[in-house]
Amino acid sequence: MIAVNTQTLIFLRSLWLGALLGMMYDLFRIFRIAVPTPNFAAVAEDILFFLLSAFLSFGFILSVNYGQVRFFILLGEGLGFLLYYLTVGPVVMKSVKKIISAAKKVLLFLWKNSMLSPVSKHPKTFCAFLTISLYFWQNSML
C-alpha cells in the first residue's frame, strides 16, 4: 500500500505530466496551423500524439509506481491536460495564430518585393540569364 503523502506527490506529478501532454498537443496544433495538411495527415499526427502520450504515461507509471496503474494517476493526467487545454492553451493558440499570421504576411511581402519574384514569373528568362552569366563567369576565370 502506498502512503497518502506519496500518493499526493504522484498525483501532483501526474497533473504536471498531463499539462506537458497538453503542451505537446499544442505543438501538433501549431504545426497544423503553420503547415496546412490533408485530413489523412492530421489523423497520422493524432495517432503519433497518442502513441507518444502512451509511451510517456507508461514510462511515468513505471517510474513512480513500479508499473502499477492507479486510477488517481490517470485522473491526474487527464485533469492536468484539461486544465492546460482550458486555461493556458487558448492563450497560447491565440498568440501563436497571430504570430504565424504576421510571419506569413512578412514573408509574402518579402517574396513580392524581392528579386525572387521575377524569377517565379519568368523562369525561362531567368534560366537564360543564369546560363549567360555562368558562361561569362567561367570564361573570365581562364
Side-chain angles (χ1 to χ4, degrees):
M1 186 160 155
I2 304 173
V4 174
N5 63 341
T6 306
Q7 289 180 10
T8 305
L9 289 174
I10 292 172
F11 178 75
L12 292 174
R13 288 175 66 189
S14 67
L15 281 172
W16 277 110
L17 177 61
L20 289 173
L21 292 175
M23 290 177 209
M24 188 172 74
Y25 188 67
D26 271 354
L27 291 176
F28 282 91
R29 291 170 60 197
I30 290 167
F31 180 75
R32 287 183 193 160
I33 292 170
V35 182
T37 56
N39 288 339
F40 72 89
V43 171
E45 290 170 3
D46 285 343
I47 291 171
L48 178 63
F49 169 74
F50 286 115
L51 288 173
L52 288 171
S53 297
F55 179 74
L56 291 173
S57 295
F58 176 72
F60 177 74
I61 291 172
L62 198 61
S63 69
V64 298
N65 207 31
Y66 305 106
Q68 296 177 355
V69 179
R70 303 283 181 166
F71 177 73
F72 70 90
I73 297 174
L74 299 177
L75 180 67
E77 282 186 42
L79 284 176
F81 182 90
L82 201 61
L83 284 172
Y84 173 82
Y85 192 76
L86 296 176
T87 57
V88 180
V91 175
V92 169
M93 292 308 295
K94 187 175 181 181
S95 302
V96 166
K97 285 178 183 178
K98 287 181 180 179
I99 291 169
I100 289 173
S101 176
K104 285 181 178 180
K105 287 177 184 175
V106 168
L107 290 173
L108 186 63
F109 173 80
L110 291 174
W111 177 257
K112 285 182 176 179
N113 297 313
S114 72
M115 265 182 64
L116 296 177
S117 183
V119 172
S120 65
K121 291 178 184 171
H122 308 289
K124 289 183 181 178
T125 307
F126 177 72
C127 288
F129 172 75
L130 189 62
T131 304
I132 293 168
S133 299
L134 286 173
Y135 173 77
F136 283 115
W137 182 71
Q138 285 177 345
N139 289 335
S140 68
M141 299 298 263
L142 295 174

